[in-house]
Amino acid sequence: MPALLTACTTTDTADGVEVQIRDGILLWHNLPEMEAAALNNALDRYRRANPGVDVIVEAQGGNMEAEFERATRSGLGPNLLLTSSTNIPALANAGALLPLTTRVTDEQLQRYLTVALQTMRYTGDIYGLPMELDTLVLYYNRSLVERVPVTVDQLLQEASGGQRVLMNSQFNDALWSARAFGDAPITDAELATLLEAASWAPSAMNEQPWRFRHARRGTPAFDALWDLLKPGNQPWTRNAALLIAISGVKHHARNEAPNASWQHDVGLATANLLLQATGLGIHGHLMGGFDKERTQEHLGLDPEREEVVTILALGRITDADTLEEPFRGRELAPRTRKPLAEIAFPL
């Protein structure tokens, strides 16, 4: 997992006081060209938001970690190192990394998935912050696989025994409006990650008109939202881990003028949430089939100011055979899209 690590770049003066040799922040990486360009774009946005902070980026070669270890001994190495989390033990043992355990708060750590933070830990300390998390999804043919592997070691064992394994990372094979939800929950940290992703969607005049009211399965709030769904959506949503009523504020906050883009912007935020969910192995299903008037009343919303657009069911999927018809057939039906020639036109 890519990790952003903090180096020991201070040195001692004659009286034993630690001082910083360099003004600003120096970051080393050895990313491929396209990833390096994405990093620079992100840093450009940071520089514009923080004009008083000088950030210098230097691309390195294949021996970056060894050079980093040598450079930190002299206090002339970079402040930050972008590298794989698998390098943490060796660099920490060499004294090249600064532990972050006492420098980051619990509130800050809650922004990250527990499984991602675990890769940053070594001997009880946190040495970095995760940059991304890759999620792999295993699809299997029930007519060919008797025992489903649940760990990478089991998968490798099956493959070495002659079982054919195809690794497919096509995005359109992982995203659809699911109905077959299992019992697995969505953690508080995962929900926070989804909402954070939604919050960073673009919006007209940065109004951020989206609002997400969420309820967990097994709570009165969930049952109340579920009761507002049309009969055709109720049977398969019972097992969803979360129901989220998604609404939008219809006026600009600064002058109360109508916001012509509010529905578009709510859609962008919802798309961000669903894309992030896919990365966490979570599936969603957006529903327009709900009693809108009752929902507005239940949530205490003035329809002139804020309007519910959709209700979203979220959860982790299970076997489609758990569904009754016609929902099972809909779950297994081929998914189609209009050809690009019908939706995109050169000018």
Side-chain angles (χ1 to χ4, degrees):
M1 173 182 294
L4 190 62
L5 311 181
T6 305
C8 292
T9 56
T10 57
T11 189
D12 292 341
T13 61
D15 56 1
V17 178
E18 287 188 347
V19 296
Q20 181 72 43
I21 293 179
R22 182 190 308 104
D23 291 330
I25 299 172
L26 175 62
L27 185 151
W28 280 10
H29 72 82
N30 58 1
L31 295 172
E33 183 177 351
M34 291 185 64
E35 294 182 27
L39 173 65
N40 286 328
N41 287 336
L43 288 174
D44 284 342
R45 293 195 299 271
Y46 177 85
R47 293 184 183 103
R48 289 194 295 270
N50 302 272
V53 181
D54 185 21
V55 181
I56 304 167
V57 180
E58 293 183 357
Q60 303 295 312
N63 63 340
M64 177 180 69
E65 287 75 21
E67 291 295 331
F68 172 78
E69 185 178 332
R70 284 193 288 269
T72 53
R73 294 196 191 108
S74 64
L76 297 175
N79 305 88
L80 299 174
L81 179 72
L82 184 55
T83 185
S84 170
S85 59
T86 58
N87 293 317
I88 289 177
L91 294 175
N93 288 335
L97 298 180
L98 183 69
L100 300 179
T101 309
T102 60
R103 293 172 169 82
V104 290
T105 66
D106 290 340
E107 182 180 357
Q108 290 170 328
L109 293 179
Q110 286 176 358
R111 301 175 184 174
Y112 301 92
L113 293 176
T114 302
V115 65
L117 280 176
Q118 192 59 36
T119 65
M120 305 293 122
R121 295 184 185 275
Y122 179 64
T123 62
D125 282 314
I126 293 178
Y127 282 93
L129 295 175
M131 296 291 290
E132 65 181 52
L133 177 65
D134 296 327
T135 300
L136 302 180
V137 180
L138 176 65
Y139 301 90
Y140 67 97
N141 188 329
R142 287 182 298 152
S143 65
L144 299 176
V145 179
E146 295 182 2
R147 182 176 66 91
V148 182
V150 295
T151 66
V152 174
D153 288 339
Q154 291 178 7
L155 179 64
L156 293 175
Q157 184 178 3
E158 293 286 334
S160 64
Q163 189 68 263
R164 290 175 295 173
V165 177
L166 172 66
M167 303 304 290
N168 189 341
S169 61
Q170 290 293 319
F171 174 75
N172 59 350
D173 288 333
L175 182 65
W176 72 93
S177 294
R179 295 178 180 86
F181 294 117
D183 294 332
I186 295 174
T187 68
D188 289 341
E190 288 171 331
L191 175 58
T193 299
L194 299 181
L195 297 174
E196 181 76 13
S199 75
W200 282 100
S203 62
M205 304 300 295
N206 199 28
E207 280 290 333
Q208 304 171 47
W210 45 78
R211 301 292 184 268
F212 299 89
R213 294 172 173 85
H214 47 87
R216 290 191 177 277
R217 181 182 60 226
T219 65
F222 182 98
D223 295 338
L225 276 184
W226 180 86
D227 186 59
L228 297 168
L229 299 176
K230 297 288 188 180
N233 286 327
Q234 288 185 335
W236 56 267
T237 50
R238 286 186 181 275
N239 288 331
L242 286 166
L243 288 178
I244 304 179
I246 303 175
S247 61
V249 178
K250 302 164 71 171
H251 294 79
H252 289 283
R254 69 186 188 282
N255 58 11
E256 291 298 318
N259 182 355
S261 301
W262 74 270
Q263 288 176 306
H264 173 270
D265 297 343
V266 170
L268 285 174
T270 303
N272 270 19
L273 188 154
L274 289 171
L275 291 172
Q276 180 66 65
T278 300
L280 299 179
I282 297 169
H283 284 75
H285 192 121
L286 292 165
M287 295 170 285
F290 63 96
D291 189 320
K292 195 161 192 175
E293 184 176 346
R294 288 178 55 213
T295 303
Q296 291 280 147
E297 182 179 350
H298 171 69
L299 298 175
L301 303 180
D302 177 359
E304 296 297 320
R305 301 191 61 82
E306 184 177 346
E307 184 177 328
V308 179
V309 178
T310 184
I311 293 181
L312 170 63
L314 285 176
R316 287 186 163 84
I317 58 172
T318 187
D319 199 306
D321 284 342
T322 59
L323 295 170
E324 298 178 355
E325 293 295 354
F327 307 113
R328 179 184 180 278
R330 294 172 184 172
E331 188 80 349
L332 298 175
R335 291 172 292 125
T336 61
R337 284 294 183 270
K338 293 179 179 180
L340 293 181
E342 290 187 23
I343 65 170
F345 314 100
L347 298 176

